[in-house]
């Protein structure tokens, strides 16, 4: 347990392989040229508070290590709840309305966090902010499916994935300086201000992309203009307006999560994501404890991860869609299969265990501080390749339910990201940094056969378990 003031401050199925075509609606093109993927500062918000936990606990009079970890990871419990609501609603009522409403929730509860009177209240408010922030992640996969063809989708998902991966790295770097210079409450005031501005921009400039909603709106206008009640959307079926079908759409994330394809892919992503957040909640403490860094400087320990994410992003962007094109040409009929997406993930997967062995034993041996920072670099490269390729695989496999597929992944990974960091401090206390990180390295090494198996045999499961 920390005893000095300095130590206290340091705590702190419809399954298909078809693409939605670009559509001419009211003489306008709905395509990537005229649209953008709506973003919010949600991923950044998930980790920006990490360096400020120690000061927050000191001010609020609560030094429990469990509550300190929950103050960071409770945001992810919200991430694990919101997608079950927002993703199916975005497939029924459209992406734009759902995203705007969720962003408002996100901003309001950032204000509540800034005014929190105690740690339990702060944890509750962070959870609610996470619920609102989850919509940007889960609807984003649907927007990519709406706007991009198969050949473009890999790069688009890589750009989309960059925010959820790089945001949590940038968060602690900024959070450390904000907490040191202005106080921990200003971490949330800045999130509320930036989030509010982006929410207004989304409300003004964002446009609907869901083809089902767009065609239905145009059909309704034509019914009125032509006085023809028999006109129906091409996406509508005989039972599409029934209560049963509504419940079918609303429960799509649950059904997808229970299918072997999404479950196993989600388990692998959740393992990597949980390890990532374990690093987020422990790296600053490692550099404060082992290397004597201050709260303000400790956020800079994430630079290795940040540079790794940038490198992985560039590598995936250059290689991803090219590999898909090569595999399509090798196919007898030139047909695209979603499993082709997984080829590149097999190349990126070994970077994760290598990073844990490197980082853990360099800290254990008290090497120069640059060595463990460089050791985190391969982890970030591997995470980009795994996240981008596996999430795109789900989008390709369940195109019309892409948002629900991403929701299922987000729920699984968010709970892993919230719970696994709680095991970090006792694990390091029992095993040390060397064997503790080696344990994570062996765990991620054992998971590598997941993308390999799906690359070879995934098509059978995908066609058997459609929704």
């Amino acid at each position: 347990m920390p005893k000095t003031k300095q130590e206290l401050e340091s705590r702190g199925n419809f399954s298909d392989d078809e693409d939605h075509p670009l559509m001419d609606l009211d003489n306008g093109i709905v395509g990537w040229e005229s649209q953008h993927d709506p973003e919010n500062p949600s991923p950044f918000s998930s980790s920006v508070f990490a360096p400020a936990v120690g000061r927050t606990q000191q001010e609020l009079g609560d030094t429990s290590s469990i509550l300190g970890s929950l103050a960071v990871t409770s945001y992810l419990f919200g991430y694990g709840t919101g997608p079950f609501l927002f993703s199916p609603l975005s497939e029924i009522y459209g992406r734009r309305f759902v995203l705007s409403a969720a962003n408002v929730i996100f901003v309001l509860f950032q204000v509540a966090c800034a005014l929190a009177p105690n740690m339990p209240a702060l944890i509750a408010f962070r959870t609610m902010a996470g619920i609102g922030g989850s919509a940007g992640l889960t609807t984003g996969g649907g927007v990519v499916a709406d706007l991009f063809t198969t050949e473009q989708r890999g790069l688009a998902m890589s750009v989309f994935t960059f925010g959820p991966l790089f945001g949590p790295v940038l968060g602690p770097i900024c959070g450390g300086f904000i907490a040191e210079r202005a106080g921990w409450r200003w971490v949330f005031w800045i999130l509320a201000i930036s989030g509010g501005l982006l929410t207004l921009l989304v409300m003004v400039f964002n446009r609907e992309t869901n083809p089902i909603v767009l065609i239905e709106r145009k059909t309704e206008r034509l019914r009125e203009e032509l006085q023809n009640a028999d006109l129906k959307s091409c996406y509508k079926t005989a039972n599409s307006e029934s209560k049963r079908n509504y419940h079918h759409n609303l429960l799509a994330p649950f059904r997808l999560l229970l299918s072997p394809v999404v479950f196993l892919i989600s388990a692998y992503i959740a393992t990597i994501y949980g390890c990532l957040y374990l690093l987020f909640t422990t790296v600053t403490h490692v550099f404060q404890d082992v290397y004597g860094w201050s709260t303000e400087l400790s956020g800079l320990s994430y630079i290795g991860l940040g540079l790794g994410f940038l490198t992985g992003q560039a590598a995936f962007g250059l290689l991803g869609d090219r590999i898909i094109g090569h595999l399509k040409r090798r196919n007898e009929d030139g047909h695209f299969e979603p499993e082709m997406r997984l080829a590149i993930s097999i190349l990126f997967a070994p970077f994760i265990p290598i990073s844990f062995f490197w980082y853990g034993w360099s800290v254990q041996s008290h090497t120069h501080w640059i060595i463990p920072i460089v050791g985190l670099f391969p982890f970030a490269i591997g995470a980009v390749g795994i996240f981008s390729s596996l999430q795109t695989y789900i989008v390709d496999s369940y195109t019309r339910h892409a948002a629900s597929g991403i929701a299922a992944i987000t729920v699984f990974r968010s709970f892993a990201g919230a719970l696994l960091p709680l095991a970090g401090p006792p694990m390091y206390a029992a095993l040390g940094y060397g064997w503790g990180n080696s344990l994570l390295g062996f765990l991620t090494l054992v998971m590598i056969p997941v993308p390999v198996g799906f690359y070879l045999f995934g098509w059978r499961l995908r066609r058997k378990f459609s929704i």
Side-chain angles (χ1 to χ4, degrees):
M1 292 295 293
K3 298 202 170 26
T4 68
K5 178 181 178 182
Q6 182 179 6
E7 288 175 319
L8 282 170
E9 289 179 351
S10 72
R11 298 284 185 181
N13 191 24
F14 177 26
S15 172
D16 60 27
D17 299 326
E18 298 177 357
D19 302 301
H20 295 308
L22 302 179
M23 297 170 293
D24 187 339
L25 296 177
D26 296 335
N27 300 319
I29 300 297
V30 178
W32 69 270
E33 295 91 345
S34 62
Q35 300 295 324
H36 63 281
D37 180 18
E39 292 287 348
N40 58 40
S42 179
F44 177 86
S45 174
S46 65
S47 65
V48 68
F49 181 59
V53 170
R55 291 181 175 276
T56 305
Q57 290 186 279
Q58 187 177 16
E59 180 179 325
L60 298 180
D62 192 329
T63 59
S64 167
S65 61
I66 297 297
L67 286 182
S69 295
L70 282 174
V72 177
T73 62
S74 59
Y75 190 87
L76 296 178
F77 286 114
Y79 263 21
T81 305
F84 281 130
L85 176 65
F86 295 133
S87 293
L89 289 180
S90 77
E91 292 170 352
I92 297 171
Y93 299 111
R95 323 286 188 203
R96 184 171 184 259
F97 170 77
V98 171
L99 180 62
S100 296
N103 283 347
V104 170
I105 296 173
F106 170 82
V107 172
L108 290 177
F109 279 97
Q110 295 299 344
V111 174
C113 288
L115 301 174
N118 51 54
M119 288 296 290
L122 178 61
I123 291 170
F125 295 151
R126 288 268 292 167
T127 302
M128 292 302 299
I131 291 175
S134 68
L137 296 181
T138 54
T139 61
V143 172
V144 170
D146 295 340
L147 300 184
F148 294 91
T149 62
T150 299
E151 291 76 12
Q152 299 171 321
R153 203 170 284 158
L155 178 59
M157 279 298 292
S158 176
V159 174
F160 168 70
T161 305
F162 180 73
L165 289 175
F166 191 73
V169 174
L170 184 62
I173 296 175
C174 298
F177 285 97
I178 296 170
E180 184 78 18
R181 300 299 178 89
W184 68 269
R185 294 185 187 273
W186 268 100
V187 171
F188 297 108
W189 285 121
I190 290 175
L191 286 172
I193 293 168
S194 59
L197 177 61
L198 290 175
T199 297
L200 289 175
L201 292 175
V202 167
M203 288 180 174
V204 173
F205 295 107
N206 189 34
R207 295 294 180 267
E208 183 57 57
T209 64
N210 189 326
I212 298 175
V213 173
L214 290 170
I215 290 292
E216 180 58 29
R217 288 177 182 174
K218 184 171 185 179
T219 303
E220 289 178 0
R221 289 196 297 270
L222 289 174
R223 284 196 204 104
E224 294 179 2
E225 292 174 5
L226 302 176
Q227 298 296 307
N228 186 350
D230 294 329
L231 285 177
K232 292 191 180 297
S233 164
C234 61
Y235 289 103
K236 289 287 186 180
T237 63
N239 300 320
S240 61
E241 296 182 4
S242 68
K243 186 175 181 180
R244 178 181 178 182
N245 190 75
Y246 178 84
H247 289 160
H248 176 86
N249 290 330
L250 202 59
L251 294 175
F254 292 95
R255 293 196 310 277
L256 281 170
L257 185 56
L258 294 175
S259 71
V261 175
V262 178
F263 182 85
L264 291 172
I265 293 294
S266 298
Y268 186 33
I269 291 178
T271 301
I272 305 303
Y273 199 72
C275 290
L276 176 62
Y277 266 84
L278 188 148
L279 291 175
F280 285 150
T281 56
T282 59
V283 165
T284 53
H285 175 67
V286 167
F287 279 84
Q288 290 170 358
D289 183 42
V290 176
Y291 295 101
W293 288 19
S294 66
T295 301
E296 188 175 37
L297 293 178
S298 62
L300 297 177
S301 59
Y302 294 93
I303 287 178
L305 283 171
L307 293 176
F309 285 132
L310 289 173
T311 304
Q313 177 86 13
F316 188 87
L318 290 172
L319 297 175
D321 288 332
R322 293 183 181 182
I323 290 177
I324 296 300
H326 174 70
L327 293 175
K328 283 181 64 177
R329 289 190 295 272
R330 285 180 52 188
N331 209 358
E332 293 182 0
D333 56 358
H335 183 65
F336 169 78
E337 291 289 345
E339 285 70 30
M340 294 176 181
R341 293 285 181 200
L342 302 178
I344 194 170
S345 69
I346 300 171
L347 301 177
F348 279 84
F351 285 96
I352 300 291
I354 289 172
S355 188
F356 275 119
F357 297 131
W358 183 343
Y359 166 72
W361 287 107
S362 61
V363 172
Q364 183 74 28
S365 303
H366 290 231
T367 61
H368 189 275
W369 56 264
I370 194 64
I371 304 300
I373 287 180
V374 174
L376 294 173
F377 181 80
F379 179 94
I381 294 177
V384 169
I386 292 169
F387 275 56
S388 299
S389 57
L390 268 62
Q391 289 191 139
T392 311
Y393 172 63
I394 297 300
V395 170
D396 287 333
S397 299
Y398 306 96
T399 307
R400 295 191 184 178
H401 293 286
S404 292
I406 297 299
I409 293 174
T410 302
V411 168
F412 209 139
R413 81 182 192 193
S414 296
F415 280 107
L419 295 174
L420 189 56
L422 299 179
M427 178 186 69
Y428 288 139
L431 301 176
Y433 294 118
W435 283 113
N437 284 288
S438 293
L439 177 63
L440 299 176
F442 287 125
L443 175 62
T444 54
L445 186 64
V446 169
M447 298 291 288
I448 291 178
V450 171
V452 176
F454 272 98
Y455 177 70
L456 297 175
F457 310 110
W459 62 274
R460 296 178 182 175
L461 285 175
R462 178 170 51 84
R463 293 174 182 176
K464 182 177 181 180
F465 296 95
S466 60
I467 67 169

